[in-house]
Amino acid sequence: MNKKITVIGSLNYDVILKIPRLPFKGETLTANGAAFSAGGKGANQAVQAAKLKTPTYMVGCVGTDASADFLVNTAKEYGVNVDYIRKVPGSSGMGVINAVEDGSVYACIVRGANFEVTKEDVDNAMPILKESGVCIQHNEIPVEIIAYAIDKAKEAGCIVSFDPNLRPPLWKSLDEAKAEIEYGLSKCDILKISDNEVEFLFGTTDYDEGARLIREKYQIPLVLITLGKDGSRAYYKDLRVEVPGFVQEHKIEPTGAGDTFCANSLNYILEHGM
Ligand code: RIB
């Protein structure tokens, strides 16, 4: 397998508010502090893959605003190849994250330049997709581009990982949200999905059953379910592997933890095969 990773996806300027609890309706709550960082599911995953010393390409768009150079330069500093990040007029993507003291996270994103990624961007990336063993995708660029990019990545011989990033409250309806991710689910080789998303999709908190339903419906070879503090589970052929969570001695703000998990898992697959 080619030992490179290509990520096709989002770059966001993240504003992370550290708050003791969620504000009530109408309340102005004072945050304990704020952090400003380069984020976006795509960039987070690309940076983590590069940190593991895997040659990693990022395909995506940033705007022409103040955060654009910061986003590109941060990815580059971590070793990500940024030659396939295109600048488009307007704002870069943005994340506004409420990180509550108890470890829960409530996030919103602004699409910005992430929704300017085109089929041409994907076509331009074909040479690097052909050099890559794994292509990572997630639901933060236009859905028609995801579908196109999945097909192209498979044509190039990549294993395709998909993170559906289902966000019902931001959509008109849960059915519409489900329809948007259907193509990714039906075509990916690896699905990285959270416990909440399994619940949204299948109405169950029995994640073994959720995984069974996902695999039965979409024939996905490898399903990875993240379970927050309870760790994660992997389902592959007849195997079910459970990795329990563990408690850190010091608190770590968890934004992007799922992205880090995803990149680590895919890096392992890149090195050892499925
Ligand atoms: O998964 C965390 C990421 O989701 C954040 O960096 C935010 O920008 C959103 O994309």
Side-chain angles (χ1 to χ4, degrees):
M1 195 192 302
N2 290 328
K3 302 283 185 211
K4 292 181 183 172
I5 287 181
T6 295
V7 181
I8 305 178
S10 61
L11 301 102
N12 290 338
Y13 182 74
D14 283 352
V15 177
I16 302 172
L17 299 180
K18 297 172 184 176
I19 53 176
R21 58 169 172 78
L22 284 178
F24 299 116
K25 186 175 180 184
E27 180 192 15
T28 303
L29 181 73
T30 303
N32 295 332
F36 306 90
S37 62
K41 295 206 181 318
N44 291 345
Q45 292 171 356
V47 162
Q48 181 60 20
K51 276 182 168 179
L52 297 171
K53 306 282 177 234
T54 298
T56 304
Y57 298 96
M58 175 81 212
V59 180
C61 289
V62 293
T64 43
D65 54 359
S67 59
D69 286 340
F70 170 66
L71 296 180
V72 175
N73 291 338
T74 305
K76 194 173 176 180
E77 276 163 25
Y78 280 102
V80 176
N81 182 310
V82 296
D83 294 349
Y84 295 83
I85 300 175
R86 190 166 59 88
K87 274 196 175 176
V88 298
S91 305
S92 300
M94 189 175 175
V96 178
I97 292 133
N98 289 292
V100 188
E101 245 173 36
D102 66 5
S104 52
V105 168
Y106 297 79
C108 292
I109 54 165
V110 182
R111 290 168 164 176
N114 295 313
F115 265 60
E116 302 298 327
V117 179
T118 60
K119 290 181 179 175
E120 204 181 349
D121 291 320
V122 178
D123 289 340
N124 290 340
M126 268 318 256
I128 56 168
L129 283 169
K130 285 181 182 156
E131 287 176 16
S132 300
V134 169
C135 174
I136 305 182
Q137 301 204 34
H138 50 269
N139 197 15
E140 287 191 344
I141 60 172
V143 70
E144 66 277 13
I145 305 303
I146 294 170
Y148 186 75
I150 288 177
D151 286 345
K152 287 303 215 181
K154 295 198 93 154
E155 186 186 314
C158 296
I159 290 176
V160 175
S161 155
F162 180 61
D163 176 348
N165 199 22
L166 188 69
R167 297 194 188 92
L170 290 182
W171 298 72
K172 279 188 194 146
S173 71
L174 182 55
D175 281 345
E176 191 185 358
K178 283 181 181 172
E180 292 268 0
I181 60 171
E182 192 82 3
Y183 195 81
L185 293 175
S186 63
K187 293 280 180 171
C188 69
D189 303 298
I190 301 170
L191 177 70
K192 181 259 159 191
I193 192 165
S194 72
D195 43 5
N196 291 331
E197 289 165 334
V198 173
E199 198 178 334
F200 280 137
L201 273 176
F202 293 105
T204 179
T205 51
D206 175 343
Y207 303 113
D208 287 341
E209 174 63 4
R212 191 189 67 73
L213 292 169
I214 290 170
R215 296 173 81 198
E216 186 180 271
K217 183 162 182 195
Y218 300 106
Q219 314 293 314
I220 304 168
L222 173 61
V223 174
L224 303 170
I225 302 183
T226 53
L227 303 165
K229 65 178 174 35
D230 294 326
S232 63
R233 290 182 200 165
Y235 302 84
Y236 178 68
K237 295 188 176 163
D238 293 336
L239 290 175
R240 172 194 181 277
V241 179
E242 179 155 6
V243 181
F246 59 91
V247 179
Q248 283 282 135
E249 272 176 28
H250 57 288
K251 278 188 185 167
I252 299 177
E253 197 278 298
T255 302
D259 303 329
T260 306
F261 167 85
C262 187
N264 285 346
S265 308
L266 295 168
N267 196 67
Y268 183 89
I269 288 164
L270 197 71
E271 282 175 10
H272 302 277
M274 284 250 274

